[in-house]
Amino acid sequence: MDLPDISPALLRATGDGFAQKLQARLIELADATDDEAYASRLRLVASGRRPLRTLLSDPKWSEAFAPQIQILATPPELDEDRRRALDDAVARAGQRVVLPSEVEIASDLEDVMRRAALTEAAIREDELNGWAHVHGDADHDEDPAPGER
């Protein structure tokens, strides 16, 4: 099984092992749900055959993670020591940031445009069928990624 189709920009920001961890988590979520259609979408994302961003429009994803996202939207109360430690960590991370070259930026822009088209096509297809379609096994070529039809 291939890894999730993650943009080079995200991979540069997250470092080694992110794609493997994401794939493992998506498969874990797919195995834990009773909704076969949702599980099939998760497995397609995990295998790189469906854009990662489609999850942001997926009603089952939103249902599962909206409460957690809302909690994260409210910053936690931090005492002065924790605030200082967080500020120091952010400053250290900022020193490690390497700005992409013009070639990388141009490539990233093309990649964003390609992913946006694939994401839009996949979401439109799911909206048309009411998010109920069970996609083929992500390990086989039965259900090509949007745009490969």
Side-chain angles (χ1 to χ4, degrees), residues 23-86:
Q23 180 181 56
R25 181 66 177 134
L26 291 169
I27 291 170
E28 180 183 309
L29 291 169
D31 291 344
T33 184
D34 293 333
D35 184 328
E36 289 183 44
Y38 178 50
S40 71
R41 293 189 301 271
L42 290 169
R43 286 189 180 97
L44 286 175
V45 172
S47 70
R49 297 187 61 222
R50 182 179 174 92
L52 178 61
R53 291 193 63 186
T54 60
L55 293 176
L56 295 175
S57 295
D58 194 304
K60 288 291 187 174
W61 180 268
S62 296
E63 181 182 302
F65 292 97
Q68 293 175 13
I69 291 169
Q70 186 59 37
I71 290 169
L72 294 174
T74 306
E77 296 286 329
L78 297 177
D79 61 30
E80 191 58 34
D81 289 339
R82 284 188 172 191
R83 171 60 62 196
R84 209 171 301 119
L86 180 60

Side-chain angles (χ1 to χ4, degrees), residues 12 99-112:
R12 285 192 303 270
L99 296 177
S101 68
E102 287 184 28
V103 171
E104 286 175 319
I105 291 171
S107 176
D108 288 348
L109 180 59
E110 286 178 27
D111 185 61
V112 165

